[in-house]
């Protein structure tokens, strides 16, 4: 892949309003690409304009937005090719499987899975013409799930499977598919998920609270600690940019030491050993008064 400022090949980054998406858009622009950055509001795009990035209003669950972006690529005034699509947009979610309402499950999969599939389908003709690349942003939770993260992990596991199928289906057409699996990244996304967790906890029945009260109290602290220990958005963006531009990419890249360790461990450790590892990490964040009982219940 080239990064020539003469060709100014196009790269699309979804979910570019803040965090990893915005950092990736800036990194790709710095490397000489013309970046179309998907944002939800005009105000989000104003900051990106200063970095030489072209913001586009893009809700990946909105078919009109997707069609408009596909038309923008097909009718590019300079006839530039689409070199890479970075599927980064996503929603967080935390809470026990039993407690997360089905409407939230559907909304999560609508954004984290179906929206990416819809956008990829629409842009595949242009990607095939340009021998481009698809970079799907998954997660550590796309390989390792744990208590309290089932819905989010489920959506990321799904994208891992979709990516594997796409990689094989598109290889004969010259389109490469790469998965990036971040662990903790210092972004605002975690705070968004915790706000919904607070509402979820307030709606639990007494029976559910007896089962999951300690877990839901532990999750905010667990997420905060995981995020604080994570890499910066700029560090993550450099890995994503590498996945999008290196001539012979790996099929998967991890971001952060924790993601690398747990994903590797998941390949070799028995399920129950991995369960004990992830439960032990969560247990450190349980309220002190319930920690012994919780420990016994999860042993």
């Amino acid at each position: 892949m080239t990064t020539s400022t003469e060709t100014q090949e196009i790269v699309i980054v979804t979910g570019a309003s803040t965090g990893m998406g915005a950092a990736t858009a800036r990194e790709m622009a710095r490397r000489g690409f013309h970046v179309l950055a998907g944002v939800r509001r005009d105000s989000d795009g104003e900051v990106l304009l200063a970095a030489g990035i072209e913001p586009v209003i893009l809700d990946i669950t909105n078919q009109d937005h997707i069609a408009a972006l596909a038309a923008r690529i097909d009718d590019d005034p300079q006839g530039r090719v689409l070199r890479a699509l970075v599927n980064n947009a996503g929603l967080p979610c935390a809470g026990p499987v039993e407690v997360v309402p089905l409407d939230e499950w559907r909304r999560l999969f609508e954004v984290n899975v179906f929206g990416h599939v819809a956008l990829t389908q629409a842009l595949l003709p242009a990607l095939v013409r340009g021998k481009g690349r698809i970079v799907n942003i998954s997660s550590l939770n796309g390989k390792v799930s744990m208590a309290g993260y089932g819905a989010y992990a489920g959506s990321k596991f799904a994208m891992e499977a979709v990516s594997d199928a796409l990689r094989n289906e598109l290889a004969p057409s010259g389109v490469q598919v790469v998965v990036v699996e971040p662990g903790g990244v210092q972004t605002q996304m975690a705070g968004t998920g915790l706000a919904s967790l607070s509402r979820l906890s307030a709606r639990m029945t007494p029976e559910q609270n007896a089962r999951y009260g300690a877990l839901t109290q532990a999750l905010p602290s667990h997420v905060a600690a995981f995020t604080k220990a994570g890499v910066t958005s700029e560090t993550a963006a450099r890995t994503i940019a590498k996945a999008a531009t290196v001539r012979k990419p790996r099929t998967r890249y991890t971001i952060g030491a924790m993601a690398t360790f747990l994903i590797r461990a998941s390949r070799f450790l028995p399920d129950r050993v991995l369960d004990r590892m992830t439960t032990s990490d969560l247990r450190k964040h349980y309220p002190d008064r319930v920690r012994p009982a919780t420990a016994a219940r999860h042993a």
Side-chain angles (χ1 to χ4, degrees):
M1 284 190 143
T2 65
T3 56
S4 168
T5 55
E6 294 179 0
T7 58
Q8 277 272 300
E9 297 161 325
I10 294 175
V11 170
I12 296 171
V13 181
T14 69
S17 295
T18 59
M20 278 197 311
T24 300
R26 290 191 295 268
E27 179 65 21
M28 296 303 289
R30 187 186 66 78
R31 295 184 182 217
F33 291 98
H34 182 80
V35 179
L36 300 180
V39 298
R40 296 293 299 273
R41 295 173 293 273
D42 289 330
S43 58
D44 295 331
E46 292 173 359
V47 177
L48 296 173
L49 277 170
I53 296 165
E54 180 182 344
V56 293
I57 299 298
L58 179 62
D59 175 348
I60 62 172
T61 67
N62 186 313
Q63 288 299 320
D64 291 337
H65 289 185
I66 290 174
L69 181 58
R72 164 68 184 82
I73 297 297
D74 292 340
D75 301 332
D76 184 72
Q78 298 183 35
R80 294 170 290 203
V81 299
L82 177 58
R83 187 55 66 188
L85 166 63
V86 180
N87 282 316
N88 170 73
L91 289 177
C93 182
V97 170
E98 179 186 355
V99 178
V100 176
L102 279 178
D103 284 348
E104 289 194 28
W105 280 84
R106 293 186 178 103
R107 174 60 178 163
L108 190 71
F109 273 71
E110 193 65 41
V111 175
N112 290 3
V113 182
F114 306 138
H116 295 311
V117 172
L119 184 61
T120 300
Q121 288 177 337
L123 295 176
L124 263 174
L127 286 163
V128 170
R129 289 195 302 269
K131 303 294 182 183
R133 186 172 300 175
I134 299 167
V135 179
N136 288 329
I137 308 303
S138 178
S139 169
L140 159 64
N141 291 122
K143 288 293 188 181
V144 179
S145 188
M146 61 190 78
Y149 297 93
Y152 181 74
S155 71
K156 292 301 184 179
F157 266 69
M159 278 306 296
E160 294 272 351
V162 169
S163 299
D164 285 343
L166 273 175
R167 185 177 66 252
N168 288 283
E169 292 166 0
L170 296 176
S173 300
V175 176
Q176 297 170 313
V177 179
V178 182
V179 177
V180 177
E181 298 160 335
V185 180
Q186 297 167 16
T187 71
Q188 299 174 3
M189 186 176 181
T192 303
L194 293 179
S196 63
L197 176 63
S198 178
R199 295 190 296 270
L200 191 70
S201 299
R203 294 196 301 265
M204 288 197 302
T205 66
E207 185 180 2
Q208 290 171 339
N209 192 63
R211 276 197 290 273
Y212 310 118
L215 172 62
T216 57
Q217 289 180 62
L219 285 171
S221 174
H222 185 256
V223 171
F226 192 67
T227 302
K228 183 179 180 180
V231 302
T232 65
S233 294
E234 289 71 25
T235 298
R238 288 192 288 272
T239 298
I240 295 168
K242 179 180 180 180
T245 60
V246 68
R247 192 169 69 87
K248 292 184 177 180
R250 303 200 301 264
T251 58
R252 282 173 168 81
Y253 291 83
T254 57
I255 296 176
M258 182 60 73
T260 300
F261 170 73
L262 281 177
I263 289 172
R264 286 179 180 173
S266 70
R267 298 171 187 162
F268 305 106
L269 293 178
D271 288 344
R272 295 197 185 281
V273 174
L274 193 63
D275 287 349
R276 285 195 291 272
M277 288 175 58
T278 57
T279 299
S280 176
D281 187 56
L282 264 171
R283 190 181 301 150
K284 293 182 293 187
H285 299 273
Y286 276 84
D288 289 337
R289 65 182 182 278
V290 299
R291 193 174 295 168
T294 303
R297 191 159 55 242
H298 286 276

